[in-house]
Amino acid sequence: MQTPVTTYLDDIYECCLDNRSGERADYIRELAEADPEPFAIALCTPDGTQYSAGDALREFTIQSISKPFAYALALRDRGFEAVNAAVDVEPSGDAFNEISLDEHTGRPENPMINIGALTTHALIGGPDASAAQRSALIVEGLSQFAGRELTVDEGACASELEDAWRNLALAALMRAAGKIEDDPDDVVLGYTRQCAVRVTVHDLSVMGMTLARGGVNPLTQERVVSPEIAQQVMAVMTSCGMYDAAGDWLSHVGIPAKSGVSGGILGALPGQVGIGTFSPRLDAFGNSVRGVQAFEQMSKDMGMHMMAIPAPTINAIGQHCRTADGSKLVALQGVLDFPTAEMALRRFAQIPPGSDDVIIDLTLVPSIAQAGAKMLLTGMRSLTAEGHGIVIVDPHQRLTAGEDQVTGLRRLDSRPRGALTAAEAPTG
Ligand code: GLU
């Protein structure tokens, strides 16, 4: 059987295909002359499964969609403090090629507009990187996000450089303000090459999924950036990724995204899916018309809006009882995040001080979120402070860090013999 996801994507493709409104970008010769007809959609799931519809193997230049990834690489190479000192994270409310600077600090408003992207570009590779090294590092970094070796469309790069005066002026302004230290010519050349990297919608979906998985590529399993960087990049994409339509996009689509003038859109829904679309005709804001339509439809049909209310939390306490040897058993179930860990802590708080063991069974816990782990460890520490011994039953190794914070913690792969049936008396 063909999975219904393929049929669903085909339906979305068919429904958007007839929409021929919008215009190609006209300020870069190669883009003005590009075939306006191609259209493609691709999805990538957390385990690296890929789906597509349309012309999914066609390559196009990544353009502005490179910006969030260059920002990620700058954060990787220079750290949050240095990058934040150079570029702000505020939506500009201006066109992508405006001189949008914070009036107090003089920093570019964000890394998704050209003046901010030129500045982040110059930070990649550290202070000693030459322009050529930086350029190579960017192609390598983008390739790590895509999980395959990407190449530069030198023709597209040359065509944009014929008329890159505005970007040169922006880079020169940043050099004059001391925000970049390199020769503005080198920065514009490197940045334009960065924008001319060739990708397909498959690549975009994998790059999006790499961010959405917290920095780990779903195809190669390589960690490209830290979870903190991936989160920061998706946050800035959410507020600034869709040109001057970011607010509209957030309310109608609600998927962190970035679009580019060649007609691509990349989406990254945390933990769930990476999405790539390509169609060259753009709306008045510079976003691909069919791409926006496809994203709107998918978000609506699949409840992909990041603010969609998740399914109700299940009761985290599967079972609590006293075992044959007098220990207390608390069996947890479901994903352990803030609300479920709070339930567990409330249950722990009902256990009176004493020297008996408390057995915490994690067998039915599929994963533990950061908040859940912190709260669980705190709860276990409180129980030991009240005299209890702690035993965790953790056959799937869900609790991976912080055990050393709990004195005398013991681990078991299965419940101890005689520990329980649902009918046993509840603990006091
Ligand atoms: N290379 C393009 C420029 O700098 C990218 C713009 C975009 O995609 O928004 O003008």
Side-chain angles (χ1 to χ4, degrees):
M1 156 190 130
Q2 170 164 288
T3 100
V5 176
T6 311
T7 322
Y8 172 71
L9 269 196
D10 286 341
D11 288 349
I12 297 268
Y13 173 84
E14 289 300 333
C15 136
C16 303
L17 188 63
D18 286 342
N19 189 343
R20 293 196 163 70
S21 55
E23 300 292 336
R24 286 164 292 185
D26 58 7
Y27 75 102
I28 298 173
R29 185 175 42 76
E30 284 250 347
L31 298 184
E33 292 168 0
D35 179 359
E37 289 305 328
F39 178 36
I41 313 175
L43 303 185
C44 179
T45 67
D47 67 6
T49 305
Q50 289 173 281
Y51 296 95
S52 63
D55 206 351
L57 296 178
R58 173 181 287 263
E59 290 191 318
F60 52 93
T61 53
I62 189 168
Q63 298 299 338
S64 263
I65 302 172
S66 64
K67 291 172 181 172
F69 298 95
Y71 180 51
L73 298 175
L75 287 167
R76 179 197 68 184
D77 293 347
R78 298 284 183 114
F80 277 75
E81 210 180 312
V83 176
N84 286 343
V87 187
D88 207 349
V89 289
E90 288 301 327
S92 71
D94 295 325
F96 71 98
N97 55 5
E98 275 305 313
I99 306 171
S100 304
L101 302 174
D102 180 276
E103 59 176 307
H104 303 295
T105 61
R107 286 178 298 173
E109 293 280 21
N110 68 68
M112 304 294 143
I113 51 175
N114 283 13
I115 195 161
L118 288 156
T119 308
T120 38
H121 170 90
L123 292 171
I124 294 168
D128 300 326
S130 67
Q133 282 166 338
R134 180 171 303 128
S135 220
L137 274 174
I138 291 172
V139 178
E140 190 189 321
L142 292 176
S143 301
Q144 286 172 306
F145 275 106
R148 74 174 182 109
E149 222 168 284
L150 302 177
T151 55
V152 176
D153 183 336
E154 300 293 352
C157 178
S159 120
E160 183 170 353
L161 283 171
E162 284 166 13
D163 202 15
W165 304 116
R166 195 170 175 94
N167 282 341
L168 188 59
L170 297 176
L173 210 55
M174 288 298 91
R175 168 72 200 241
K179 302 286 181 215
I180 61 177
E181 289 168 5
D182 299 63
D183 182 333
D185 278 317
D186 288 344
V187 174
V188 171
L189 172 59
Y191 162 81
T192 310
R193 285 194 94 233
Q194 167 192 317
C195 290
V197 167
R198 292 189 190 94
V199 286
T200 64
V201 285
H202 275 303
D203 296 323
L204 294 187
S205 70
V206 176
M207 295 170 88
M209 194 63 236
T210 302
L211 289 177
R213 268 189 85 192
V216 176
N217 184 301
L219 302 183
T220 63
Q221 306 306 328
E222 181 183 7
R223 171 162 294 290
V224 187
V225 289
S226 67
E228 292 75 21
I229 292 179
Q231 178 178 313
Q232 172 75 4
V233 171
M234 289 187 288
V236 178
M237 281 163 60
T238 303
S239 55
C240 315
M242 296 300 286
Y243 301 120
D244 222 3
D248 222 29
W249 177 269
L250 183 54
S251 69
H252 287 109
V253 180
I255 297 175
K258 182 73 198 90
S259 71
V261 280
S262 56
I265 303 180
L266 169 142
L269 188 59
Q272 297 196 43
V273 68
I275 305 173
T277 62
F278 173 63
S279 176
R281 293 194 191 89
L282 311 178
D283 63 19
F285 296 105
N287 297 316
S288 162
V289 174
R290 284 172 176 154
V292 170
Q293 191 183 346
F295 266 90
E296 280 181 352
Q297 192 66 44
M298 283 189 281
S299 172
K300 193 161 139 238
D301 293 348
M302 300 291 187
M304 283 176 171
H305 197 294
M306 61 194 279
M307 302 299 173
I309 308 302
T313 301
I314 61 162
N315 186 352
I317 314 298
Q319 190 176 37
H320 62 98
C321 56
R322 193 181 294 279
T323 67
D325 69 356
S327 303
K328 294 189 176 67
L329 173 96
V330 181
L332 303 179
Q333 60 185 12
V335 173
L336 210 57
D337 52 12
F338 175 79
T340 47
E342 186 277 334
M343 287 181 201
L345 292 189
R346 233 182 311 146
R347 180 66 213 132
F348 294 170
Q350 289 169 3
I351 299 175
S355 58
D356 43 351
D357 281 343
V358 176
I359 304 169
I360 300 167
D361 189 345
L362 302 176
T363 309
L364 296 181
V365 171
S367 65
I368 303 184
Q370 198 184 350
K374 268 194 187 159
M375 292 165 78
L376 185 61
L377 288 164
T378 309
M380 293 194 294
R381 280 204 305 274
S382 303
L383 288 168
T384 57
E386 293 191 335
H388 295 287
I390 302 288
V391 180
I392 55 169
V393 181
D394 188 11
H396 314 298
Q397 307 288 321
R398 302 296 187 218
L399 188 69
T400 51
E403 296 171 41
D404 51 331
Q405 298 169 22
V406 185
T407 317
L409 180 133
R410 280 167 289 148
R411 253 183 189 278
L412 294 176
D413 279 342
S414 59
R415 286 180 182 183
R417 280 179 73 78
L420 80 162
T421 60
E424 282 176 280
T427 46

